[in-house]
Amino acid sequence: DAEEEARGYVAEYEANPSEDTIIQLAKDHSDSTNAGNGGLWENANHTSFTPEITDWVFNASRKEGDIEVFWSGDANCWYVLYYLNEDMPYNLYQAKTAMVNEAETAWKESLPSDESGTRTWMYSLI
């Protein structure tokens, strides 16, 4: 069944515990839209998951390489979660993103409006 399959992936990881192993497992076995990038889920916050998963992800004792299997009734599937690391707090990420977007908008608005400054991108194969 699906739970056994998920636990089998954990066993594969534990036979060769590395970030590369978990990335390859995600690429080979995940149906998730982020499977192509190794299953990386960026900018997760306390509203991204079910309460049980949130408790696990944001537990103060969590460390890189921790791995666990969870049932998600919301998605009606099993998850194998691998903890990579914690970046900046989500509210700081949101503030930084807003500031960068505001600065980029101001910069774009300061550029000349004529088309002579348009940049063109292309590939050269020779």
Side-chain angles (χ1 to χ4, degrees), residues 8-25 65 67 82:
Y9 300 143
V10 172
E12 281 188 59
Y13 165 78
E14 289 173 342
N16 183 20
S18 72
E19 187 177 342
D20 290 338
T21 299
I22 205 72
I23 289 169
Q24 195 59 52
L25 284 167
I67 190 167
Y82 171 89

Side-chain angles (χ1 to χ4, degrees), residues 83-123:
Y83 187 82
L84 183 56
N85 62 38
E86 182 178 38
D87 195 10
M88 68 178 74
Y90 191 68
N91 61 338
L92 292 180
Y93 166 79
Q94 288 178 308
K96 178 182 170 191
T97 300
M99 290 172 57
V100 167
N101 289 342
E102 185 178 309
E104 181 181 19
T105 298
W107 172 75
K108 285 179 180 178
E109 290 172 354
S110 73
L111 295 174
S113 61
D114 68 339
E115 292 298 314
S116 64
T118 301
R119 294 180 56 181
T120 302
W121 297 93
M122 62 184 164
Y123 288 101

